[in-house]
Each structure stands twice: as structure tokens, then as C-alpha cells.
Amino acid sequence: MKDIERREDLLLIMEKFYDKLLVDETISFFFTKITNTDKHLEEHFEILATFWEQALFLKGGYHNNMFQKHKDIHEKSAFTKEHFDTWLKHLYTTLDEYFKGEKVEQMKTQALNMATVLQIKFSQ
């Protein structure tokens, strides 16, 4: 297996990751009921790919406020530790199914860091 190398790899990861999220009843409602993310997945994947390109390859281009977007959702329906654990589980599984290498491990670490920070901020 190869490491994550380009935007197309990130788009594949997002597609396969969301395939898991959208069928998991413990978390899918955030994408189908609390938001309408499921109605514009391709656009959402492009935004996420840009975010991860910036995080992994320092490409720049991501201009959204990731924290504020998730805070807005949290205020409608609170994220729990279980939601973050489920999100991480599906991301890690997706990464391990398709890729292996330094960028994969970096993405896992950054995802864990983001989930941890969001949990801390949302519990204050």
C-alpha cells in the first residue's frame, strides 16, 4: 500500500470515510438531519480535501473556520465523546484500508488532536 500523496488520495479517503459515517446511525444524523451535508457531498469533499492538503502538505487554500462550523453544529445537537470516538474509528479504518505511511500517521495524529481540542472546547 502507498502513502497519501495527492489531492485525489484525500478525495478517495473522504468518499470512503463518509460511506461509513452515513450508514452509522450513531453519527449519521449530524450529516442528514442537523445539517444537509449529505445533499452536497462532492462540494463537502472538496473543502475537506483542501483542509487536509493544507494540514498534510502545507498547500494553503483552506479559509473556513473549522472550529466555528463544528461549534454551530454542536449548539444544535451536542457532540459527545462517543461521537468523536466513532468519527475517529471510521477515519482510522478508512485510512488503514487504503493507505499506509507517514502521511497516514500524521493525518491520524492531527485528527485525534482536532477531536481532543473540540471536546475540550465544547465541554467548557
Side-chain angles (χ1 to χ4, degrees), residues 51-52 62 65-75 78-81 83-84 87-88 110-124:
F51 173 86
W52 284 109
Y62 182 80
N65 183 334
M66 184 272 297
F67 174 76
Q68 187 62 51
K69 291 198 172 287
H70 288 86
K71 183 175 183 282
D72 293 345
I73 296 166
H74 176 72
E75 289 172 355
F79 293 116
T80 65
K81 180 182 182 331
H83 293 133
F84 287 105
W87 183 84
L88 286 168
Q110 288 182 302
L112 176 60
N113 290 344
M114 287 186 315
T116 303
V117 168
L118 289 176
Q119 286 178 80
I120 291 167
K121 293 254 186 208
F122 294 161
S123 67
Q124 295 176 347

Side-chain angles (χ1 to χ4, degrees), residues 7 10 46-64:
R7 182 178 188 84
L10 295 168
E46 291 291 336
I47 292 167
L48 293 173
T50 300
F51 173 86
W52 284 109
E53 272 185 320
Q54 182 167 308
L56 298 175
F57 303 112
L58 307 175
K59 284 210 169 185
Y62 182 80
H63 302 292
N64 293 332

